[in-house]
């Protein structure tokens, strides 16, 4: 009887690949990068409307307020060019810039900063340490300036992005924050969560020099030659189009996503995408840890550990149901995976997120993001700005076109021996005289005509638009620092400023949430990458010297809150006043006063006092000290020596 032949099920049955990255590598090969680029390009095109709106809002903010394109008789041209063709001057009064500056002033005056609080109250001292470390990192990155410019971007476009990363910059290895221009950023257009938690794909377009490219991605001479070969052709649009068409991806005339405007730059497209793979979610009952392991690592971290615990339990006579085994369940995990791609579909670098917060390095905020739409603060008042400019231009045109001192001079009245040009010169001359004969038949004598064209309602319309501008934006005169009317009480003026601030509260608090999200990623990066003990000191504060111990702080969970900064002049004045009262009451010493106070001379005076104390303890006489004080110090030293001798004898 012939022996039956059995085939392996893995060979005769199709096997479904659960790892999305492994499946793409197996099915697409080199085209895998083109698939990622194609998806990213779709999201890039979906944000074209946002980029156009942002450019328009920016033009209106910075004074280019007649750049809208209009169509006249089938010809498209800018409004400014059309107005000039009509012989007029396109005037403008930039009210939007003043409004943005007023809101920036309110934001700056708040002077808020993130503060860390440990979830476990027993670890609160670590929260104070992390707050100091975070403030030092913010000083390193000049975050006060970055956040102010990000706030301005937020008002103009309604969308702001920062990038939090760890690496080398200017020969310094640290945690860094970069401002990301929204025009270079793209995001999943299926996202609808205001917090951005449902985003599945995002990325940034980098245009860098070839030297920076090699510094980042070349780790050997072979890598350098490969990069040189790739970007030798990447600047040629025809070669780029041919390469894409060969792989079945026609460009259809779009080059903005793939080729930089400056052909001397090298374009690198960074894409962060959610991928999926099977994993085990584990719960170690013995230690309380919850973690995830890959399928291929399950035996090492779970299976062998459980068997070892069962063997130990049998040796100890413990019942099997009482053994604290690692519980686990199989699931499909969604994780962040990054790609650095060239326009030709070459993968420069890829991998799972290296950050322990298991997310992408970007922090972004879109406002208000109702149904995925972005509407900026500036866009609300563009119509009022346009109508104001139209009224000003119309006012100027009417005044220039109206009769202003036109002379009506009948020919019959022309004196003998004078031409009409001489009459005009004499008419305009100071104390000029023109001799004419009065007509006897009642005909018209020379007269000057002036038309008063100002009282036609334009002033009222202009004042109405300015009032609308303040009502819509919420930035009134009190918030801008304008003086009130005569007889206005201080309480009424302050109430108006407070009401204006209330109308901006949603904007300011929303941006504060963005700052808190960024600080959260900063803290996570600091916990991950600060792996050696360090000493930190906030500039200008002697009492803020802390020692960072990574072993103690690495696994501490922190809550971030945005509180009033202690660096404001008002706070410093209040603190100094309280410290002076305590010093006068002899509750604190002079050294404590100088250490915790903020005085212009505090550091130098404190160092001088400490130096004199060290000299006195060593038996030396400090320079510049009075004889009476020196005698008291000597007596104090002698008494201390006597007391020490008495203690030795008593022992």
């Amino acid at each position: 009887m012939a022996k039956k032949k059995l085939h392996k099920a893995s060979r005769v049955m199709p096997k479904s690949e659960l790892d999305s990255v492994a499946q793409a590598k197996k099915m697409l090969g080199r085209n895998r990068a083109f698939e990622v680029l194609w998806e990213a390009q779709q999201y890039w095109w979906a944000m074209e409307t946002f980029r156009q709106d942002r450019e328009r809002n920016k033009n209106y903010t910075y004074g280019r307020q007649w750049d809208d394109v209009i169509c006249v008789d089938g010809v498209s041209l800018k409004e400014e060019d059309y107005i000039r063709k009509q012989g007029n001057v396109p005037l403008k009064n930039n009210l939007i810039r003043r409004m943005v500056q007023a809101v920036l002033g309110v934001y700056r005056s708040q002077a808020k900063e993130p503060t860390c609080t440990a979830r476990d109250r027993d670890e609160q001292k670590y929260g104070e340490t992390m707050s100091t470390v975070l403030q030092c990192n913010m000083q390193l990155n000049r975050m006060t300036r970055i956040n102010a410019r990000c706030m301005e971007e937020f008002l103009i476009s309604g969308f702001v992005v920062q990038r939090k990363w760890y690496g080398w910059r200017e020969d310094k290895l640290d945690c860094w924050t970069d401002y990301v221009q929204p025009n270079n950023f793209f995001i999943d257009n299926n996202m609808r969560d205001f917090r951005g938690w449902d985003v599945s794909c995002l990325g940034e377009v980098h245009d860098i020099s070839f030297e920076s490219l090699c510094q980042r991605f070349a780790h050997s001479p072979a890598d350098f030659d490969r990069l040189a070969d790739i970007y030798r052709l990447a600047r040629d649009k025809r070669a780029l189009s041919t390469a894409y068409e060969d792989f079945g991806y026609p460009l259809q005339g779009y080059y903005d996503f793939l080729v930089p405007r400056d052909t001397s730059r090298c374009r690198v497209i960074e894409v962060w995408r959610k991928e999926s793979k099977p994993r085990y979610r584990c719960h170690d009952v013995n230690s309380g840890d919850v973690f995830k392991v890959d399928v291929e690592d399950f035996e090492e971290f779970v299976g062998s550990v459980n068997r070892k615990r069962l063997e130990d339990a049998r040796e100890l006579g413990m019942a099997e149901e009482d053994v604290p085994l690692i519980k686990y369940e199989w699931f499909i995990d969604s994780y962040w995976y990054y790609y650095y791609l060239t326009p030709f579909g070459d993968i420069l670098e890829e991998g799972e997120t290296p950050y322990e917060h298991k997310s992408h390095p970007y922090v972004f905020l879109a406002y208000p993001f109702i149904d995925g739409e972005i509407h900026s603060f500036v866009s609300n008042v563009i119509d009022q700005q346009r109508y104001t400019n139209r009224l000003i231009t119309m006012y100027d045109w009417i005044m220039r076109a109206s009769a202003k001192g036109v002379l009506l001079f009948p020919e019959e009245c022309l004196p003998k021996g004078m031409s009409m040009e001489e009459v005009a010169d004499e008419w305009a001359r100071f104390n000029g005289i023109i001799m004419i004969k009065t007509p006897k038949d009642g005909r018209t004598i020379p007269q000057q005509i002036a038309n008063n064209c100002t009282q036609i309602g334009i002033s009222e319309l202009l004042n109405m638009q300015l009032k609308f501008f303040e009502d819509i934006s919420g930035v009134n005169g009190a918030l801008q620092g304008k003086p009130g009317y005569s007889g206005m009480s201080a309480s009424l003026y302050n109430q108006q400023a407070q009401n204006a601030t209330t109308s901006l509260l949603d904007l300011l608090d929303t941006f504060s949430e963005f700052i808190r999200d960024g600080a959260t990623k900063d803290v996570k990066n600091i916990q991950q990458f600060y792996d050696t003990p360090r000493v930190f000191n906030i500039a200008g504060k002697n009492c803020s010297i802390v020692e960072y111990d990574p072993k103690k702080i690495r696994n501490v969970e922190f809550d971030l809150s945005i509180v009033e900064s202690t660096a404001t002049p008002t706070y410093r004045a209040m603190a100094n006043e309280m410290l002076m009262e305590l010093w006068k009451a002899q509750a604190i010493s002079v050294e404590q006063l100088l250490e915790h106070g903020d005085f212009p001379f505090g550091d130098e005076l404190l160092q001088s006092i400490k130096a004199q104390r060290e000299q006195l303890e060593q038996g030396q006489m400090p320079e510049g000290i009075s004889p009476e004080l020196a005698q008291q110090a000597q007596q104090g030293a002698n008494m201390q020596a006597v007391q020490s001798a008495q203690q030795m004898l008593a022992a």
Side-chain angles (χ1 to χ4, degrees), residues 26 45 113 135 193 261 265 334 339 370 428 446 473 507 626:
K26 182 178 180 181
W45 289 343
E113 61 186 15
Q135 292 177 23
D193 193 336
R261 294 182 179 179
R265 314 293 284 180
S334 179
Y339 303 85
I370 303 296
S473 65
L507 277 173
S626 63

Side-chain angles (χ1 to χ4, degrees), residues 271-287:
V271 182
W272 288 77
R273 195 169 69 162
K274 280 287 186 72
E275 302 286 359
S276 61
K277 66 186 303 185
R279 281 176 171 160
Y280 284 94
R281 185 182 292 114
C282 307
H283 178 207
D284 191 346
V285 181
N286 190 48
S287 62

